[in-house]
Every structure is written in C-alpha cells, then in structure tokens.
Amino acid sequence: NAGVTQTPKFQVLKTGQSMTLQCAQDMNHEYMSWYRQDPGMGLRLIHYSVGAGITDQGEVPNGYNVSRSTTEDFPLRLLSAAPSQTSVYFCASRVGRGLTHSGANVLTFGAGSRLTVL
Amino acid sequence: GENVEQHPSTLSVQEGDSAVIKCTYSDSASNYFPWYKQELGKGPQLIIDIRSNVGEKKDQRIAVTLNKTAKHFSLHITETQPEDSAVYFCAASKGFKTIFGAGTRLFVKA
C-alpha cells in the first residue's frame, strides 16, 4: 500500500499566488487532516474531515480552504499565498470511526510538502 | 481549546543512558495520548500511545506514563541508541482533534 501520498514535495510561490497541495490515501480512512509544521511550534492542525462532504476547522484555518469530494482525496488550497504560510505541510489520515478500538486513533502521515512563499 | 506543552525542546544523552520527555495538557476531556517520532525528511510515525484509563504502558525500551489528575504524561526511553536520535512529539486527542506539543529534538551521542 502507498499509504498517504502528498504532492508536490517542494513548491515556491510568490505572494498572492494560489496553489493546491494534494493528499491521497489508499487505506479507506474516513478521517483526513492537514497540519503545518514550523520550527519551535510543532504540528498545528489546519483543517480536518471526517468523511466525504464533511470538513471542519482546526487550530489555524485562516488562509486555507479544503474540500472532501471523495474518501481518498483531501486537497488543501491557498487562495492568496502569504510569506507567513511558508512551512512544511503534512497530511494525515486515520480510521475515523470506532474510536475506542485499538489502532483507530493512530494517524498515518504523508512525507510532507515544503512550501516557500516569497 | 486544547493546549499541549512539551519539555525539553532539546535533549542530548550518551548512548545507553535514559531519556525522559514531559508533556502537560490543558483539556481534562482529552482521552488519548500518542507519541510520534519524526526522522529527518519524513512524516511523524507513532511509537507508543496511552488511553486515559491506563496509567502506564511499556513497549520494549519505550514507556509512557499518564497522570490524569495533574494532566501530565511522559515518555521514557531506556538504553538509548544512536538510531533513537530524532524529533519526538507528544499529543493529546479528544474526538476528532489531535493537538501536538512543540517537539523535542533528541540527540544520542555514541
């Protein structure tokens, strides 16, 4: 299994440009999420989804849009990139339902997408 | 919302020594506490987790303890090896949100 696949691995944008970070998982996980990782700040939750058509905000949602049209895909959109959005972005998924059984809460992360906004 | 504090931010130990990383959380309703290890250039991977109804869990050289009253949980790595060098994250989870600490960079010197 491929697990969680993120594209692109690296991207450089100019301020004001838009782009979409792609995330796909092949584990039939209902739950998917996006985090950003910044030095000294750990991983901060941007948006998450508990199933197709359902999304919700995390800790730092401003400046980002998401949608979930299929179980497999959860793209993250930056409509007008700002230098403050320079970061490494991680997509993560988990089973979602049956949260009490072993392994249900375990997040599987992608390899990350490094974004630089000039 | 939930806040997770993690200490220390950097930890350097000699090979064979023990390493301890401590975290505190703010939301008493959090009920699941995972620890993730991140190697350079990779995404974090789960190494051990503990639920709120358990006080301690061990897996070979790694153990985690949880004090619900004090809202503290800790990661203990014994007999450290150079391959334990990485960034470690604690997290607290309630429902569909998992909130991470800022991370601890562990160096194990051979």
Side-chain angles (χ1 to χ4, degrees), chain A residues 47 60-65 77-80 85:
Chain A
H47 285 285
V60 288
N62 293 340
Y64 307 95
N65 282 350
R77 297 184 184 85
L78 287 72
L79 297 180
S80 180
Q85 294 178 304

Side-chain angles (χ1 to χ4, degrees), chain B residues 13-96:
Chain B
V13 300
Q14 286 292 137
E15 182 178 1
D17 287 350
S18 295
V20 180
I21 302 171
K22 298 182 179 182
C23 291
T24 60
Y25 61 99
S26 61
D27 189 345
S28 57
S30 292
N31 56 12
Y32 174 69
F33 305 92
W35 287 86
Y36 286 81
K37 176 183 180 182
Q38 185 181 29
E39 297 177 338
L40 195 62
K42 298 182 178 180
Q45 281 196 302
L46 181 82
I47 55 171
I48 194 167
D49 56 9
I50 191 167
R51 295 191 178 277
S52 58
N53 59 350
V54 176
E56 184 174 357
K57 183 177 178 180
K58 188 174 181 180
D59 183 3
Q60 299 183 356
R61 296 186 297 109
I62 295 173
V64 59
T65 58
L66 171 65
N67 182 330
K68 281 197 308 181
T69 302
K71 291 188 277 188
H72 289 173
F73 58 116
S74 300
L75 177 72
H76 305 252
I77 305 174
T78 59
E79 301 172 18
T80 53
Q81 301 168 2
E83 52 265 37
D84 293 329
S85 295
V87 178
Y88 292 81
F89 292 99
C90 64
S93 183
K94 179 183 71 174
F96 293 115

Side-chain angles (χ1 to χ4, degrees), chain A residues 7 9 32 43 52 81-82 87 100 107 113:
Chain A
T7 56
K9 292 191 185 308
M32 297 184 74
L43 295 153
S87 188
T100 58
L107 287 169
S113 297

